[in-house]
Amino acid sequence: MSEREKEKDPAALKEEGNSLFKKGDLQGAVCCYTKALKLSESQTEKAVLHRNRAACYLKLEEYSKAEADASKALDTDPGDVKARFRRAQAFQKLGRLDQAFLDIQRCAQLEPKNKAFQDLLRQLGAQIQQKSAQLNSTDARVQQMFSLLLDSSAKDLDRQKAAQNLVVLSREEAGAEQIFRNDGVKLIQKLLQSDQEDVVLSALRTLVGLCTGHQSRTMAIVNELGMEQLCVVMGSGAPTVSLAACHLLQVMFEALTEGMKREIRGKDEAILPEPSKELRSMLCHLLEMMPASNVSGPGRDSAINLLVKQVPRKSLKSPDNSLTLWVIDKGLKKILQVAGTVPELSQGPPLTDNSHMSCSVLLSKLYNDLKSDKERENFNKLCEEYVQQHFSQPGLDGKLRAIQTVSVLLQGPSDVGNRTLEMSGMMEAVISLCASEDVIHQQVAVEALIHAAGKAKRASFITANGVALLKDLYKKSENDRIRVRALVGLCKLGSAGGTDFSMKQFAEGSTLKLAKQCRKWLCNESLPPTSRRWSVEGLAYLTFDADVKEDLVQDKNSLLAMFDLAKSEDKTVLFAVGSTLVNCTNSYDVEKPDPQMVELAKYAKQHVPEEHPKDAPSYVEKRLVKLLEAGVVSALVCMVKQESPALTEACKECIARVFLALVERQEDRGMVVAQGGGKALIPLATDNTDVGKIKAAQALAKITITSNPEIAFPGERIYEVVRPLVSLLRLECTLLQNFEALMGLTNLAGISERLRQKIIKEKAVPKIEGYMFEEHELVRASATECMCNLVMSTEVQKMYLPTGNDRLKLLVLYSGEEDERLRKAAAGTLAMLTAEQPELCARIPGTTTHWLEIVQALLLSEIADLRHRGVVIVQNMMQAEKSLAETLMESEALEILSVLAKGGEGTSDPVSKIAQKCLDKAMEYGVIRSREGEDEDKGREP
């Protein structure tokens, strides 16, 4: 049957699916069964296909799909014992033990002698009994906590302890269920109104336990408590309470949205309504918090943070951006009200130092989530209307609000910011307000001028019209807040040439003077943190100059002051610190020009970028050492931990770049790990820009290669390292990144079966096999080494069993290559495979006509490790089949083994022992005779 006919024949597709399932290609089997289901018209045939696909889903750990398929098979044939057994297994994994027990009980009744059914029945019985006992004891504890919390005569200390114990109970599924069923939400509602901060925190943390991963409970809690009360708690003045409430709402959002994706919404099988109503209600309340004057600054920041995380699509591949459109329609002007608030003016909601930056991030995320020009035009129009409305008002307050809004837009969706900046009279108003005698007016205008200077459309205008003004402000202003901002503007314009040594905007030495002043203000603790943050902004631009980098790393006080700011509550400094460190470590991407093109450019008198002499590798290495000594790692770790919209993906990319530079030298990796760098890199490798993910993953790979992974990533964290390393096994990555990922995975695969299973689950094995064919010998050898460790897993061994592939042949051929490292890896893999899967031994002679020469070459090798692998392979082959022993003993292998068995100089003891065992086996088969037997025969001769 041709391939085209096969594609239209459900029976052929089913057989192909069965074959793929046996070979371990589960995804391929699922694909075949799915195609067959679409073509099949027979209900009986469909039931079998659903049953088979359920088996695939069980192995793929997609238990909801396995349960659904098994149920469809049972709808057609309730007596299908295989389908019922598979559904019981799926129910067990989904935690629905009662339903699993009913199914397996029916299976045992139909086939009472089936051992697998009896084993699962006993297992489920024990699990149900354990759960029942746990529920009974938990129920008593919950009742005890409730009694204490409701008893007004109880001591405050006892009630606080009871509230904390409730938090612990809520983290267990049994405890959470008992709290919920015993009207615990009403009690928690009372606790939220307590005057004691500890009690309110305990109530919020208990709710986190109840909502985590459980959609049905979350929906009930949202409806019972009401979003209004939760927003009031989040908007309270206490920062810790506000953060705890923000975390609770984050957990609620995740429970509702993840539940929608997962099909099963809650641990039970209840049919639940879509949670979109609750989601919209939550978002609506968050938008209402934006302009509300009774909401604290930290509370408003928390609301912005939640909108940043929950509204835009997680992936631009998803077609549905309706939530973003809804938020723009309902709340964009409310967000702009926060953006346009000047805290020092009387009107407007209370803000923190982070509020404007958080607004910029939110506006940028919303704008980037739009799909069409029409949607973007609507966004632009709404922003322009808001800015124009305030700019056209009489008096300065309206104009200041408009300029502040433009500032925030320039830091966020800069295209929108540029359009508002080009509105009639806007730029002129900014320039004129820079000369105002009012410090607040000056500050707002200078900040707008600085943000505009970074945009290509306005940089030339500002260079022509603003440099003199900024210099004047810097030299003549008596207020340091204005001077430091004017200085940053000058720094920004002075760094226009980037790292190009030949393209400097200011006179020789001017940038060093500017940098020196920035460092002076940075170390001046009498200045407010916002002004010191602006000095770091200045350094972020000036450190394009290698002389400035050298001066900064030599000034330990400035480095310590910058790191202290990075750890402070002012999150707006994060990107400036990250950018400064990227410049100091030269961890930005530099494209090396083609030498021929450089010569052509010189000939044509075109500009050719020049590297500063102090950007040479020797200087960079010394700078890295200075930064490590000053404590850069602990600062980076604190930056990663920040829960703030200011920790943007661009900021995370900067941190990942710096970490990669810091672990470049092997001797520095221990210090990075000891100070928490390994732990910080894991989230950077999963939540970052595409470039940032690769940089963080490569840093993780370097650490995994040279450090003990169990120490560098203790506990469960070691399993989180696998996915980032596997992500480097792509053609888009460099060969060095491929090589380091393979080396790291080799180390992980050698630790435990659970880690090997994790690597297999991440679908790394086919990728590793692909790199075994790579032309570069180091990459090829490291891939083979990785496979050598992975074959300790039975699942990988079974991949070598089916006939019709060249996996075994490749290992035999590689065992005869000249590259010592590759030979060791291939021969080691072969030794393990032939030991664990003896049936492979008989197939070795069929791989290549040179197999015997390759085995003999291993036995004759001067390298002890290769000899050892060789004798193990021979021993495995001889133990597998007598015919193989005969073939080997008829060759020179007999003589070689005899020599090895005698031992002697250069022959390790294990090798001689195994060689002797091979000879003993040959004698046992009667293939050869012992020396004594030969002598006896000679004595009988006439």
Side-chain angles (χ1 to χ4, degrees):
M1 188 183 288
S2 69
E3 284 299 318
R4 189 172 288 181
E5 288 172 334
K6 236 187 218 182
E7 288 291 311
K8 293 180 182 178
D9 183 7
L13 284 165
K14 179 191 153 193
E15 285 307 314
E16 190 181 346
N18 293 347
S19 174
L20 291 170
F21 180 82
K22 284 174 189 172
K23 289 178 183 177
D25 184 357
L26 301 172
Q27 291 290 3
V30 167
C31 186
C32 285
Y33 294 142
T34 305
K35 285 179 185 174
L37 277 165
K38 288 176 183 174
L39 295 168
S40 180
E41 293 176 3
S42 161
Q43 289 303 315
T44 309
E45 200 173 66
K46 279 187 175 181
V48 174
L49 289 164
H50 278 301
R51 183 182 74 196
N52 290 0
R53 196 168 67 173
C56 296
Y57 284 138
L58 277 173
K59 283 190 175 287
L60 289 167
E61 297 181 20
E62 294 184 43
Y63 302 118
S64 297
K65 290 180 179 178
E67 181 270 318
D69 265 355
S71 294
K72 284 173 186 172
L74 288 167
D75 288 344
T76 304
D77 180 9
D80 187 340
V81 74
K82 282 187 182 178
R84 196 168 291 280
F85 178 56
R86 282 165 195 169
R87 189 169 74 170
Q89 289 174 299
F91 277 144
Q92 183 191 23
K93 294 293 184 183
L94 290 166
R96 289 145 69 177
L97 301 180
D98 293 345
Q99 289 165 290
F101 188 81
L102 289 172
D103 270 347
I104 199 61
Q105 198 175 40
R106 179 69 181 137
C107 289
Q109 286 168 357
L110 292 168
E111 292 184 18
K113 291 183 181 178
N114 190 311
K115 189 176 180 297
F117 297 169
Q118 295 296 337
D119 287 348
L120 186 57
L121 189 63
R122 278 193 294 273
Q123 199 180 342
L124 283 166
Q127 284 179 343
I128 289 167
Q129 206 170 2
Q130 187 184 351
K131 189 178 178 183
S132 177
Q134 195 180 1
L135 281 170
N136 290 336
S137 67
T138 305
D139 194 26
R141 282 190 291 165
V142 169
Q143 291 299 337
Q144 188 185 357
M145 302 307 145
F146 281 9
S147 301
L148 264 171
L149 289 165
L150 292 168
D151 184 2
S152 55
S153 62
K155 293 178 184 175
D156 284 348
L157 188 63
D158 290 340
R159 293 179 79 184
Q160 280 179 15
K161 279 184 181 176
Q164 287 165 2
N165 288 336
L166 210 58
V167 176
V168 176
L169 277 172
S170 71
R171 288 173 185 160
E172 304 165 7
E173 176 53 33
E177 197 58 32
Q178 287 301 318
I179 293 168
F180 185 71
R181 291 185 188 279
N182 285 301
D183 272 348
V185 179
K186 285 180 182 173
L187 171 69
I188 291 166
Q189 199 164 14
K190 290 179 184 175
L191 297 179
L192 288 173
Q193 293 160 5
S194 170
D195 296 331
Q196 294 177 298
E197 193 174 303
D198 287 349
V199 173
V200 176
L201 284 170
S202 296
L204 291 167
R205 287 165 186 162
T206 303
L207 286 170
V208 167
L210 296 181
C211 294
T212 302
H214 204 299
Q215 192 195 51
S216 55
R217 276 206 297 260
T218 303
M219 287 175 74
I221 290 166
V222 169
N223 287 315
E224 191 166 343
L225 282 181
M227 267 300 292
E228 200 167 334
Q229 183 173 3
L230 291 172
C231 287
V232 167
V233 174
M234 190 165 78
S236 68
T240 49
V241 171
S242 178
L243 274 174
C246 176
H247 178 56
L248 168 61
L249 289 172
Q250 173 76 19
V251 166
M252 285 177 157
F253 272 116
E254 285 170 3
L256 293 174
T257 52
E258 287 302 310
M260 286 170 76
K261 291 176 197 167
R262 269 203 306 260
E263 298 175 15
I264 301 296
R265 304 192 187 100
K267 301 289 190 277
D268 54 345
E269 208 182 11
I271 296 169
L272 299 168
E274 285 291 328
S276 51
K277 178 189 158 196
E278 283 78 6
L279 281 169
R280 296 282 165 103
S281 164
M282 290 168 80
L283 291 172
C284 202
H285 278 88
L286 292 176
L287 290 169
E288 290 299 327
M289 287 178 75
M290 293 291 111
S293 56
N294 61 338
V295 174
S296 68
R300 184 171 288 97
D301 286 355
S302 293
I304 295 171
N305 196 3
L306 282 166
L307 289 167
V308 167
K309 287 180 176 178
Q310 297 305 325
V311 176
R313 291 170 289 170
K314 298 290 183 285
S315 166
L316 293 179
K317 291 177 184 175
S318 168
D320 183 17
N321 69 340
S322 57
L323 211 51
T324 295
L325 297 175
W326 183 83
V327 166
I328 290 169
D329 184 45
K330 300 285 181 188
L332 181 59
K333 292 203 172 175
K334 290 170 184 165
I335 298 165
L336 291 173
Q337 273 182 268
V338 180
T341 298
V342 181
E344 290 80 0
L345 298 178
S346 55
Q347 293 178 336
L351 304 182
T352 68
D353 292 337
N354 304 308
S355 299
H356 282 143
M357 175 60 82
S358 297
C359 261
S360 292
V361 174
L362 175 57
L363 290 164
S364 182
K365 290 270 186 185
L366 293 173
Y367 186 73
N368 291 336
D369 200 43
L370 299 175
K371 295 192 294 183
S372 65
D373 289 342
K374 185 181 176 184
E375 290 172 0
R376 283 185 277 274
E377 188 54 42
N378 178 55
F379 190 99
N380 273 302
K381 186 183 167 191
L382 289 169
C383 291
E384 285 174 24
E385 282 175 3
Y386 179 85
V387 171
Q388 187 61 50
Q389 178 194 337
H390 288 281
F391 191 70
S392 58
Q393 286 176 2
L396 278 176
D397 279 9
K399 285 182 174 54
L400 286 166
R401 284 188 72 88
I403 292 168
Q404 180 61 55
T405 307
V406 171
S407 251
V408 170
L409 286 167
L410 285 166
Q411 291 176 84
S414 54
D415 291 345
V416 183
N418 272 321
R419 274 183 58 164
T420 54
L421 194 65
E422 287 163 9
M423 289 167 64
S424 177
M426 182 64 70
M427 201 66 209
E428 290 74 11
V430 170
I431 296 287
S432 64
L433 279 171
C434 283
S436 169
E437 291 182 4
D438 188 298
V439 173
I440 303 302
H441 298 177
Q442 266 191 324
Q443 187 173 309
V444 171
V446 171
E447 284 184 18
L449 195 63
I450 292 166
H451 296 312
K455 312 304 164 192
K457 286 185 180 179
R458 286 286 160 185
S460 54
F461 173 86
I462 294 163
T463 305
N465 300 282
V467 172
L469 179 62
L470 289 169
K471 281 183 178 177
D472 209 39
L473 286 170
Y474 172 56
K475 288 176 182 175
K476 296 179 182 178
S477 176
E478 293 178 5
N479 190 301
D480 278 343
R481 287 198 294 176
I482 300 301
R483 289 188 69 211
V484 74
R485 284 162 173 78
L487 175 63
V488 173
L490 291 169
C491 294
K492 204 167 187 178
L493 293 167
S495 65
T499 56
D500 184 355
F501 180 47
S502 63
M503 284 273 291
K504 294 299 157 197
Q505 303 295 306
F506 294 155
E508 186 71 35
S510 296
T511 49
L512 286 171
K513 286 178 186 174
L514 292 172
K516 188 177 180 181
Q517 186 60 51
C518 281
R519 298 204 313 273
K520 183 181 172 184
W521 272 323
L522 176 59
C523 296
N524 185 354
E525 292 185 10
S526 63
L527 282 174
T530 46
S531 294
R532 294 174 67 209
R533 186 255 296 174
W534 277 100
S535 64
V536 183
E537 286 279 348
L539 288 169
Y541 293 110
L542 293 175
T543 45
F544 282 122
D545 187 317
D547 288 317
V548 176
K549 300 178 198 183
E550 284 295 312
D551 284 0
L552 176 59
V553 296
Q554 298 299 332
D555 185 351
K556 193 168 183 179
N557 289 336
S558 292
L559 289 178
L560 292 173
M562 181 168 72
F563 296 159
D564 284 342
L565 270 180
K567 298 172 187 177
S568 71
E569 289 183 9
D570 183 2
K571 314 295 190 301
T572 54
V573 78
L574 296 178
F575 186 69
V577 173
S579 300
T580 304
L581 291 172
V582 164
N583 292 340
C584 288
T585 57
N586 283 34
S587 48
Y588 41 74
D589 293 327
V590 179
E591 281 190 29
K592 298 256 177 166
D594 185 333
Q596 288 183 328
M597 296 302 291
V598 171
E599 290 304 316
L600 282 171
K602 285 179 181 174
Y603 181 75
K605 296 184 180 177
Q606 295 290 316
H607 171 70
V608 179
E610 292 177 29
E611 186 181 65
H612 196 292
K614 289 182 182 176
D615 274 330
S618 58
Y619 280 92
V620 176
E621 194 172 297
K622 287 172 188 171
R623 290 203 290 266
L624 286 165
V625 172
K626 290 282 184 187
L627 288 167
L628 283 164
E629 287 171 355
V632 67
V633 176
S634 60
L636 292 170
V637 170
C638 282
M639 287 165 73
V640 174
K641 287 179 182 173
Q642 301 284 10
E643 273 292 326
S644 165
L647 186 65
T648 58
E649 286 194 338
C651 185
K652 288 176 189 174
E653 184 185 313
C654 288
I655 298 169
R657 285 177 180 276
V658 176
F659 264 127
L660 181 57
L662 293 171
V663 298
E664 190 60 44
R665 295 198 322 157
Q666 189 174 327
E667 55 267 42
D668 296 331
R669 292 171 196 171
M671 186 190 293
V672 173
V673 170
Q675 294 178 18
K679 181 183 176 182
L681 277 164
I682 293 171
L684 289 173
T686 52
D687 182 17
N688 209 323
T689 63
D690 289 341
V691 172
K693 285 176 186 174
I694 289 172
K695 301 287 182 189
Q698 191 178 1
L700 282 170
K702 286 179 186 288
I703 291 169
T704 312
I705 292 166
T706 53
S707 308
N708 181 343
E710 292 174 287
I711 295 170
F713 311 104
E716 293 296 303
R717 204 168 291 134
I718 194 169
Y719 301 100
E720 296 176 50
V721 179
V722 173
R723 184 171 292 174
L725 297 195
V726 174
S727 72
L728 292 176
L729 301 180
R730 289 181 292 153
L731 292 172
E732 296 84 2
C733 296
T734 64
L735 272 180
L736 176 63
Q737 288 163 346
N738 299 155
F739 171 69
E740 289 178 334
L742 288 164
M743 292 280 284
L745 288 168
T746 303
N747 279 359
L748 293 175
I751 292 171
S752 70
E753 178 58 24
R754 191 178 162 199
L755 269 167
R756 287 191 285 276
Q757 286 300 319
K758 177 68 177 168
I759 293 168
I760 294 164
K761 193 177 176 183
E762 291 296 334
K763 300 181 175 61
V765 177
K767 296 176 182 177
I768 293 163
E769 282 192 304
Y771 283 105
M772 286 173 71
F773 292 93
E774 176 58 51
E775 284 183 22
H776 196 289
E777 60 183 35
L778 282 175
V779 176
R780 188 170 65 233
S782 58
T784 311
E785 284 172 344
C786 192
M787 186 58 70
C788 185
N789 282 351
L790 283 171
V791 292
M792 288 191 268
S793 175
T794 311
E795 202 169 321
V796 179
Q797 292 165 19
K798 286 180 179 174
M799 290 168 58
Y800 285 83
L801 295 178
T803 54
N805 66 63
D806 290 333
R807 288 188 174 103
L808 191 64
K809 181 179 180 178
L810 185 69
L811 292 176
V812 174
L813 292 172
Y814 278 180
S815 297
E817 285 286 312
E818 288 181 12
D819 180 4
E820 181 189 324
R821 193 173 159 195
L822 180 62
R823 282 182 81 192
K824 280 184 182 179
T829 312
L830 207 53
M832 271 190 279
L833 277 171
T834 50
E836 296 297 324
Q837 303 291 337
E839 62 194 270
L840 289 172
C841 295
R843 286 178 28 210
I844 288 176
T847 56
T848 170
T849 53
H850 303 291
W851 73 273
L852 202 51
E853 294 166 35
I854 291 167
V855 171
Q856 287 170 3
L858 288 172
L859 295 172
L860 288 167
S861 174
E862 293 178 2
I863 301 156
D865 284 347
L866 285 174
R867 282 200 304 276
H868 187 249
R869 286 159 171 76
V871 290
V872 170
I873 293 165
V874 170
Q875 182 187 27
N876 294 339
M877 290 179 76
M878 291 181 71
Q879 286 175 342
E881 282 188 20
K882 183 180 177 181
S883 60
L884 289 172
E886 288 171 346
T887 307
L888 285 161
M889 291 302 103
E890 286 166 6
S891 71
E892 291 175 17
L894 171 59
E895 193 179 335
I896 300 165
L897 288 169
S898 301
V899 174
L900 290 174
K902 289 175 185 175
E905 193 178 341
T907 310
S908 60
D909 192 47
V911 171
S912 56
K913 282 181 181 175
I914 297 167
Q916 186 57 55
K917 284 180 183 176
C918 292
L919 294 171
D920 292 345
K921 192 70 184 174
M923 283 187 280
E924 186 187 316
Y925 284 140
V927 175
I928 61 169
R929 291 197 237 177
S930 66
R931 182 72 61 185
E932 292 82 358
E934 285 177 16
D935 291 342
E936 282 175 25
D937 284 349
K938 281 178 185 176
R940 289 196 196 100
E941 284 176 16

